[in-house]
Amino acid sequence: EHESLRDKAVVSTQSTGEIECLRALLHQCVVQHVAGEDITPQATMLKLKSARLVREVTDSCLQFWGGMGFTDDVAISRLYRDTRLMSIGGGADEVMLQIICKYMGTHPGSRK
């Protein structure tokens, strides 16, 4: 039982670090956007990583609840379903990766 709680604490700490990195990228994007720069690649990376992190965290929470996490009695059930939409609604992960590759010049058929 203690190992499980310790593992959750480690995941929480890792997630907090990733959130802070994403927050820094968001602030950088705002500054660049206000300056009139194209932030498409950075915003796409931010959207992709944020959606993946949210899915990872909610999946960890669902794992904690076990089978009960899939019932309507706990909020994680709805959150788990809703977070899936983040990776679909704003553009599927594959679309985000294609946009990033295009800007990096690594997309098949793109030129640097």
Side-chain angles (χ1 to χ4, degrees):
E1 183 178 331
H2 294 293
E3 286 182 20
S4 177
L5 292 175
R6 187 184 68 230
D7 292 344
K8 298 297 179 219
V10 168
V11 168
S12 175
T13 303
Q14 289 171 338
S15 298
T16 302
E18 290 181 53
I19 290 167
E20 289 305 315
C21 289
L22 292 170
R23 187 186 319 256
L25 180 56
L26 174 63
H27 288 291
Q28 177 187 344
C29 285
V30 169
V31 169
Q32 289 176 309
H33 180 69
V34 169
E37 297 176 32
D38 180 18
I39 60 165
T40 302
Q42 294 90 344
T44 306
M45 290 176 204
L46 185 60
K47 190 265 180 207
L48 175 68
K49 183 59 184 166
S50 297
R52 286 182 173 181
L53 182 58
V54 167
R55 282 197 326 259
E56 194 176 302
V57 169
T58 54
D59 184 64
S60 178
C61 291
L62 183 69
Q63 183 72 29
F64 177 79
W65 280 93
M68 189 173 173
F70 284 105
T71 66
D72 290 333
D73 296 337
V74 292
I76 191 62
S77 174
R78 182 182 51 80
L79 291 171
Y80 184 75
R81 289 189 310 267
D82 290 351
T83 57
R84 199 60 193 115
L85 182 60
M86 292 180 78
S87 297
I88 300 169
D93 286 2
E94 293 77 17
V95 174
M96 297 295 108
L97 288 169
Q98 287 179 5
I99 292 169
I100 295 166
C101 287
K102 178 181 171 189
Y103 273 84
M104 292 176 67
T106 58
H107 191 272
S110 67
R111 297 182 193 142
K112 268 196 157 177

